[in-house]
Amino acid sequence: MKQLVVEADRCLRCKNPRCKNNCPISTSIPEVIEEFSKGQIAKAGEILFKNNPLSLVCAIVCPHESQCLGNCIKGIKSEPVRFCDIEKHVSKYYLENIKLDKEADKEERVAIVGGGPAGITIAFILAQKGYKVTIFDTHDKIGGVLRYGIPEFRLPKSILEHYEARLIELGVKIRPNTLIGPVLTLDKLFYDGYKAIFIGTGVWNPKTLNIKGESLGNVHYAIDYLKAPEVYKLGDRLGIIGAGDVAMDAARTAKRNGVKEVTILYRKGMDEITATKAELQGALDEGVKFELFKSPLELTEEGIIYEATNNPEGEEAETGLFSCDSIIISVSQSPKNNIVANTTGLNTDKWGLLLTDDKGHTTREGVFASGDVVTGAKTVVQAAAHAKVVAEAMEEYILRNK
């Protein structure tokens, strides 16, 4: 706590704060720091929560080096102010100790399909406005990618339990293990009196490499592995194909679960790795190895047959075998089509992503969407920022159709 006060005192309270301007959800950073410095932690927490219900999560998992931290004016000549640490402390206090305000109960019922970052954000906003909100989730717990895609060592699950408790206090109903689409259709939800439906089902289908060997018993997809890593028997040597944040999470999780040697294979060089600097450094610190300029040609029970991608022009590319016991593929995800396949009037693009306007209206009247199911895999803060816009559009729609 004392160190955070020292950190807050370093803030220049810029009139035109670059930290706020480069935050995807425009967090009022100088204002929050000012309240925190005065000892007004509850007030600082209120500012954060009203702007972004997921502020605690964002304080932990945001790519701060390209947002608030990387744009702090103090960082030009010295160390930038670590606002993320202050935000984490304040948001945690607020989430765990403050009872949220709520407007008078309204009659209108709203369905949230998918309890991930976008769905949770909209549930908080509309529940605090008094709407009857029900979250439908295919998993046994809400959280989506926050729970089943980000490892415990990066984002403690206890945080999600606090979010769930606050939602329930606001009157939000949660239906776990419920797949909307084949049995409970969108038509049924409207028939049962829901005035607006939000779809935030994320991207849970792993993208394939389209090479031979992906169905072998020693091959897995990262998005599946991260849901329940303890059930996988990966052996002593693991090869991971891909170099984004999900690949780093899978690599670091595997190390924690007893795999002796974890290696990431990437078709480009170290400078072109797509993972955030913090995630990459975490993997390096924990002993994850890297094999660069290797593109997979085939997956076998002995390992990954690859082609070298840094051969001199005109020369035939070298091939080789990277020997390993198990293989994890981590090359992005796409949406499942459970809802689209069972609904008329809901259009998608060629990648299966829902088509919406900039306020989240889908091509089906009364149905809204946001988050990864619209944009593809993005950051949590981007999902929360757009969810705020969609929540407002949903309320406008409900009021217009009273």
Side-chain angles (χ1 to χ4, degrees), residues 62-87:
C62 263
H64 303 116
E65 67 263 20
S66 62
Q67 296 172 5
C68 54
L69 194 67
N71 288 280
C72 175
I73 198 78
K74 292 280 284 190
I76 295 174
K77 292 185 177 179
S78 63
E79 288 297 311
V81 175
R82 292 193 60 81
F83 172 71
C84 51
D85 293 343
I86 297 170
E87 182 181 26

Side-chain angles (χ1 to χ4, degrees), residues 156-225:
K157 302 298 184 284
S158 59
I159 290 172
L160 302 176
E161 303 303 331
H162 283 296
Y163 275 112
E164 184 172 321
R166 296 292 87 78
L167 285 167
I168 291 170
E169 281 177 9
L170 290 171
V172 174
K173 300 289 191 295
I174 298 173
R175 286 190 59 166
N177 299 316
T178 305
L179 176 65
I180 299 298
V183 179
L184 285 180
T185 62
L186 296 192
D187 289 336
K188 182 72 169 89
L189 295 183
F190 281 126
Y191 178 75
D192 284 347
Y194 290 93
K195 298 303 181 185
I197 299 171
F198 172 76
I199 300 174
T201 46
V203 284
W204 292 99
N205 270 350
K207 287 189 178 177
T208 65
L209 295 170
N210 290 322
I211 61 176
K212 189 175 181 181
E214 287 188 71
S215 68
L216 297 179
N218 63 325
V219 179
H220 313 282
Y221 294 105
I223 194 68
D224 297 329
Y225 171 68

Side-chain angles (χ1 to χ4, degrees), residues 381-401:
V381 71
Q382 287 171 311
H386 192 237
K388 288 172 61 180
V389 176
V390 179
E392 186 177 329
M394 290 176 72
E395 182 171 39
E396 287 174 0
Y397 174 82
I398 292 168
L399 294 174
R400 197 167 61 244
N401 289 276

Side-chain angles (χ1 to χ4, degrees), residues 10 29 43 52 69 75 86 92 96 144 146 154 182 210 218-220 257 267 272 274-275 306 313 315 364 381 398:
R10 295 180 60 237
I29 294 173
K43 178 63 177 174
N52 176 13
L69 194 67
I86 297 170
K92 187 172 188 293
E96 293 179 2
L146 304 179
R154 279 224 293 142
N210 290 322
N218 63 325
V219 179
H220 313 282
N257 280 271
R267 59 194 172 84
E272 296 168 288
T274 55
Y306 64 84
E313 195 172 338
E315 286 190 19
R364 173 81 185 264
V381 71
I398 292 168

